[in-house]
Amino acid sequence: MIFNHSDFDQHEQVVFCANPNAGLAAIIAIHDTHRGPALGGCRHWHYADDAAALTDALRLSRGMSYKAALADLPLGGGKSVILANPAADRARMFEAFGEAVERVGGRYITAEDVGTTTADMSAIRRATRHVSGVAPSEGGRGDPSPATALGVLMGMLAALEARFDNDSLQGRRVAVQGLGSVGFALCRLLHERGARLVVADIAAERVDRAVREFDAVSVSVDVIHAVEADVFAPCALGAALDDVRVPQLACAVVAGAANNQLAYDGIDAALQARGVLYAPDYLINAGGLIKVAGEYLGFPVEEADRRVLAIRERTTEVLLTALRDGVPTAQVADRLARARIGRA
């Protein structure tokens, strides 16, 4: 089930964590620690089944290795998923998860991700110091979402410049899929720079807020990927780019915050064939990782900010290399990341 799993990439460690008394069922996946301890967020989600949770943990943890490597952080990649349990006491469940993280012995550092908050990180911190993203009132640097959104903006600007020789967002149409913490923050940044927004989310109240605050146009989540736009920004869950959606794209650039946007390795060739420039997700959505890494490792806020802004330069390097060599952008990013973590 593990070693023959299609998403198993010689992960160093996969830990199944259970505490029935606290309602905890979780998976910690450590992909690689050659560069340092594995840092990656904790996702709290209603999975269809245990197999779906395992797939998510394996895919996300590998992405974190690549993300940390390209961000030039002294960290490896890991990820954890908690299977949502509405009957559990949330604070107790996350404290129990902190106990599980502590048992890993510092090889894995957890942080916020989809479905978790700074309050959850505080609960985890009661059981382990191997957590980042806690509230400023407790000595942390808070929600990493704004940093993630800023990094995505930097990557998007690099992609626009590579595609159009002009990075201006004024008047450009951007279709944003997903209005969670990162997606909404990205919309604000885009609106401030004059972009025309088309938005979609499963939560009607988020869509209504974006329409009010950003004069956005709303469409169904089923068609947002097919909207005619300069940029499609996937900011929801993964696998937004698959064999069904890629042929329906009507954009010049894909640049968003979601992890694992490619449904499978190789779909990036279909994007290239259609003339769509893809900014690899783990390259441009590293801002949140950089922020929580700064908190855990103790480097100054100003250094973290500089590293987030540098996402633009790194994205430009990858995109121009791909365009020059005529290969998909994800292949270039993967090759560079694997070289940095010492994998063939």
Side-chain angles (χ1 to χ4, degrees):
M1 180 180 178
I2 300 295
F3 299 116
N4 294 323
H5 195 290
S6 59
D7 291 300
F8 180 74
D9 184 44
Q10 303 304 313
H11 286 66
E12 293 179 3
Q13 191 173 8
V14 181
V15 182
F16 295 86
C17 318
N19 185 327
N21 292 331
L24 175 71
I27 302 170
I28 299 172
I30 299 174
H31 177 252
D32 194 282
T33 59
H34 283 91
R35 293 177 62 90
L39 193 157
C42 170
R43 178 165 293 191
H44 180 249
W45 194 252
H46 293 273
Y47 288 98
D49 51 37
D50 297 352
L54 175 61
T55 295
D56 211 23
L58 293 175
R59 285 174 59 84
L60 289 167
S61 58
R62 183 182 73 166
M64 293 306 297
S65 288
Y66 290 10
K67 189 181 300 189
L70 291 189
D72 200 25
L73 294 169
L75 295 166
K79 205 78 170 186
S80 55
V81 299
I82 296 178
L83 284 70
N85 182 354
D89 177 273
R90 189 176 179 105
R92 176 68 190 101
M93 182 176 68
F94 276 93
E95 185 174 347
F97 176 69
E99 293 166 359
V101 171
E102 180 66 18
R103 286 194 292 272
V104 177
R107 285 173 48 78
Y108 170 67
I109 306 154
T110 196
E112 284 182 60
D113 197 76
V114 173
T116 57
T117 66
T118 52
D120 298 327
M121 299 307 107
S122 295
I124 292 171
R125 197 181 193 186
R126 289 197 286 272
T128 183
R129 66 181 181 85
H130 303 300
V131 58
S132 189
V134 298
S137 61
E138 298 183 37
R141 298 183 184 176
D143 181 8
S145 298
T148 303
L150 179 59
V152 171
L153 176 67
M154 293 297 102
M156 189 182 296
L157 293 176
L160 287 172
E161 186 169 22
R163 184 68 171 78
F164 298 113
D165 290 326
N166 183 344
D167 68 355
S168 175
L169 280 161
Q170 187 65 44
R172 291 205 182 277
R173 202 174 198 211
V174 182
V176 181
Q177 177 194 51
L179 299 172
S181 298
V182 176
F184 202 87
L186 177 62
C187 284
R188 187 176 303 282
L189 294 173
L190 294 170
H191 178 68
E192 290 171 352
R193 287 159 177 78
R196 296 180 297 129
L197 297 176
V198 182
V199 300
D201 193 278
I202 58 174
E205 64 273 13
R206 295 175 183 170
V207 173
D208 292 343
R209 184 183 171 198
V211 170
R212 287 195 314 271
E213 295 190 20
F214 309 133
D215 196 26
V217 174
S218 67
V219 299
S220 165
V221 293
D222 298 325
V223 301
I224 183 67
H225 65 280
V227 167
E228 187 173 344
D230 295 293
V231 182
F232 171 48
C235 297
L237 296 181
L241 302 170
D242 59 16
D243 290 326
V244 173
R245 297 183 184 92
V246 167
Q248 298 172 347
L249 292 175
C251 60
V253 168
V254 172
N259 288 306
N260 296 328
Q261 292 169 27
L262 303 182
Y264 60 86
D265 291 342
I267 190 69
D268 53 337
L271 289 167
Q272 182 192 29
R274 298 204 63 234
V276 177
L277 185 62
Y278 168 63
D281 49 43
Y282 61 80
L283 173 62
I284 72 171
N285 69 9
L289 172 65
I290 292 169
K291 181 172 182 177
V292 296
E295 176 183 324
Y296 190 81
L297 297 172
F299 57 73
V301 173
E302 296 77 14
E303 172 66 11
D305 293 342
R306 184 195 67 76
R307 287 173 177 258
V308 173
L309 294 177
I311 288 173
R312 175 168 183 168
E313 181 181 348
R314 290 193 294 273
T315 305
T316 296
E317 177 186 355
V318 168
L319 298 184
L320 292 184
T321 298
L323 292 171
R324 181 196 67 204
D325 296 346
V327 298
T329 56
Q331 290 186 23
V332 175
D334 286 356
R335 187 167 61 238
L336 178 58
R338 294 182 78 83
R340 289 189 176 184
I341 62 176
R343 292 192 173 211

